[in-house]
Amino acid sequence: MGFRVRSLCVLAAGLLVLAGARPILAQTGAQTGVGSRVAVSADPEVLARSARDSRDAGDHRAAAGAFAEAGRALILNNHAAGAAEAFTDAARSHLALGDVDGAYAVLAEAAAQLETAGPEAHAAAGRATASLARIRTNQGRYAEALILLDRSGALGGDRLDGPGQASLAYDRARILDFLGRAEESEGHARRALGLRREHLGEADSLTADALNQLAVSLQAQGRYDEADRAYRDALTVYEAANGPDHPHVAIALSNLGNILRRRGREHAAEPVYRRAVRIAESSGDDELLAQCLTNLGWHLRMTGRSPEADPVFRRAADLLVEVAGPDHPFTGIAFANLALILGDQDRHAEAEPLFVQALAALEPAVGTDSPDILATLDGYAHTLAKLDRKAEADAVYGRTLDIARARLSPGHPEAMRQTVAVADFLLDDGRAAEARRRLDEAEAALFQRIGAATGPGAGALRRTQALFERQVRASWTLAHPARAENSLPPNP
């Protein structure tokens, strides 16, 4: 399976931007504080100056400690906004050391202290909590991130300016998309986009982030034409705002390649994928590179070049294990892709434990009924069938159909693909009547979707062809049961 690459997907200092905050750390509580000033044991400005000097000298550990002390002093001085900024700088210093847990701990301290400091500090507590949500999102702990974002909004969401409101909407859209809740994600992405267009303008890179997220949500719903336009618009803004070789350009290119491939334009997709990889290679961002490599590898596999995809997938997996860890959902996707490659080589016994490992990483993060695990479950079921574990394969295939029915709209491309895969299994297992029933249900859903559209596209027609081919095979088998055992038409 490939990635829908979200903007700001990498855990870095840029993650911790306080929505709606101003850099006012140099001010003291006496100047702009909340409530009356109380005595403190250290001058926050002295601490902040020391922290900045340490940071500029590359001593991030000392900077983290000094910024945190400045934050505590500013809270005692009733200067909530400055305290939030200081704690955020402390978290950035922890991230510069690769210490994500340290960054989370210092922000959690800030959020707790600011929340108890009184209602006047709740907006700053909300901003710190939003940064906690971003860390959990990048760790793949999406359900936890959503709870934190809800808390952030409750604390101070109504006090944010327009760009701050846009940041919360954008963050929510990302999390909901990761959780497979694409329709909800779309609504929040549209809100973020509208706010950023209003307050930042069409040409701002943050507006392009919102466009990219909107396209991601549309793609997840199978609305490829709309997603194509949004990705192209994001790409145009990214190139104009940041230059042609910026990492965000790689994000938009890799996503655009996915859409071109899904719309049957594989010849146009490949140079787009390869340009994305080249940009990611030079960015120094290994997580972005791994995602772009994964999308290229998926394209190579889907165009019948599994041997070429193999080293691409292996490199992506190695990178993700290193930068995200073996339990991150992104790494789960990488394990699933390695398993699929092994299946292509008829090495099903080796593929099976990799599928199990992939699901162990994916399911806690995205949920056991997420559409984003369909490809992994399908590959796992196929592997079980090849290992002659038919009952287990049947159960997993049934689960894929349950997810598609519950979480995808009627006629969704992924639901169609899954029905075809299940039909192939049923036909091979001698269950032609059941296969025909599944195919007829899918055909009705597909034509309902086509009828609701302005006109059937090439992708819809290809899906219709795949269904018809299996329907012919099922009908032939039912009409000639005695001959079907030895002379089935070839599986398309």
Side-chain angles (χ1 to χ4, degrees):
M1 58 192 294
F3 283 102
R4 300 188 301 277
V5 189
R6 291 84 171 175
S7 302
L8 292 179
C9 61
V10 184
L11 192 59
L15 172 72
L16 302 176
V17 177
L18 292 184
R22 293 176 292 116
I24 52 176
L25 183 60
Q27 297 171 315
T28 66
Q31 294 167 313
T32 60
V34 179
S36 61
R37 181 172 180 171
V38 298
V40 298
S41 59
D43 185 336
E45 176 52 27
V46 172
L47 290 167
R49 188 181 306 114
S50 172
R52 289 192 293 269
D53 290 344
S54 295
R55 181 185 59 196
D56 293 344
D59 188 352
H60 296 291
R61 192 168 304 282
F67 276 127
E69 284 300 320
R72 295 178 189 112
L74 286 162
I75 286 176
L76 289 174
N77 272 308
N78 296 321
H79 190 341
E85 185 67 26
F87 276 113
T88 299
D89 281 333
R92 290 190 179 107
S93 294
H94 279 289
L95 289 177
L97 294 166
D99 180 12
V100 179
D101 291 339
Y104 190 90
V106 76
L107 286 167
E109 177 189 348
Q113 290 202 33
L114 289 165
E115 188 170 349
T116 58
E120 297 88 348
H122 282 181
R127 291 194 292 270
T129 305
S131 290
L132 291 174
R134 293 183 190 115
I135 288 179
R136 287 296 187 240
T137 300
N138 281 269
Q139 290 177 319
R141 298 165 66 169
Y142 306 127
E144 202 175 329
L146 189 58
I147 292 171
L148 286 165
L149 203 63
D150 286 340
R151 184 61 185 156
S152 172
L155 283 168
D158 58 343
R159 305 182 193 183
L160 293 173
D161 58 14
Q165 294 280 354
S167 291
L168 283 186
Y170 173 77
D171 289 348
R172 187 174 297 277
R174 289 185 71 222
I175 295 169
L176 290 170
D177 175 63
F178 279 124
L179 289 169
R181 294 160 61 177
E183 292 85 355
E184 296 172 78
S185 175
E186 178 192 349
H188 292 286
R190 288 191 184 280
R191 181 164 187 261
L193 178 59
L195 285 167
R196 285 178 173 174
R197 280 173 166 164
E198 177 184 354
H199 293 279
L200 304 177
E202 290 280 356
D204 194 280
S205 187
L206 289 175
T207 303
D209 287 348
L211 272 168
N212 181 76
Q213 184 56 55
L214 174 61
V216 163
S217 303
L218 293 168
Q219 178 184 333
Q221 297 174 66
R223 293 158 60 184
Y224 298 148
D225 289 347
E226 296 172 78
D228 184 302
R229 289 191 293 273
Y231 281 137
R232 290 179 189 277
D233 289 345
L235 177 61
T236 298
V237 176
Y238 281 144
E239 289 184 318
N242 303 316
D245 298 320
H246 192 274
H248 279 190
V249 173
I251 289 172
L253 287 168
S254 195
N255 286 332
L256 181 59
N258 286 342
I259 288 295
L260 291 169
R261 176 178 60 78
R262 288 179 180 276
R263 297 177 70 197
R265 300 180 58 195
E266 291 87 352
H267 65 288
E270 184 156 340
V272 174
Y273 281 128
R274 292 193 181 278
R275 182 184 166 201
V277 169
R278 285 195 299 272
I279 295 171
E281 288 266 19
S282 62
S283 72
D285 184 338
D286 285 344
E287 190 171 299
L288 174 61
L289 175 58
Q291 293 183 73
C292 292
L293 285 168
T294 296
N295 287 346
L296 172 61
W298 193 252
H299 165 77
L300 293 170
R301 180 175 181 268
M302 296 301 290
T303 52
R305 291 179 283 171
S306 185
E308 294 178 58
D310 188 340
V312 176
F313 280 149
R314 291 188 185 281
R315 185 180 177 204
D318 289 343
L319 287 168
L320 286 169
V321 168
E322 178 66 25
V323 301
D327 299 323
H328 195 283
F330 286 5
T331 312
I333 291 174
F335 290 152
N337 289 334
L338 292 179
L340 289 168
I341 289 292
L342 289 170
D344 293 343
Q345 299 167 4
D346 291 326
R347 296 162 62 184
H348 303 292
E350 297 173 68
E352 191 265 345
L354 271 175
F355 278 122
V356 173
Q357 191 174 1
L359 289 167
L362 285 165
E363 289 179 327
V366 304
T368 57
D369 65 342
S370 171
D372 283 340
I373 65 171
L374 279 174
T376 302
L377 287 172
D378 177 68
Y380 183 40
H382 178 74
T383 293
L384 292 170
K386 289 295 185 180
L387 292 172
D388 204 28
R389 294 161 59 179
K390 297 291 182 64
E392 294 172 77
D394 197 13
V396 177
Y397 273 129
R399 186 179 162 197
T400 66
L401 292 180
D402 289 342
I403 292 172
R405 277 193 295 266
R407 299 293 301 276
L408 300 176
S409 58
H412 189 289
E414 294 303 321
M416 295 299 100
R417 273 188 279 272
Q418 201 51 51
T419 300
V420 167
V422 172
D424 284 340
F425 168 74
L426 294 171
L427 288 166
D428 291 342
D429 200 36
R431 296 154 65 184
E434 187 177 349
R436 182 61 199 246
R437 177 174 61 81
R438 300 282 190 191
L439 291 163
D440 289 347
E441 291 171 355
E443 178 191 40
L446 178 59
F447 277 102
Q448 176 185 340
R449 187 182 184 95
I450 291 175
T454 56
L461 295 176
R462 283 196 305 277
R463 293 191 291 278
T464 304
Q465 179 184 355
L467 288 174
F468 284 172
E469 287 171 344
R470 273 66 177 187
Q471 284 176 323
V472 168
R473 183 182 172 198
S475 298
W476 191 92
T477 302
L478 290 169
H480 307 282
R483 295 168 56 194
E485 293 184 13
N486 300 314
S487 59
L488 281 177
N491 189 21

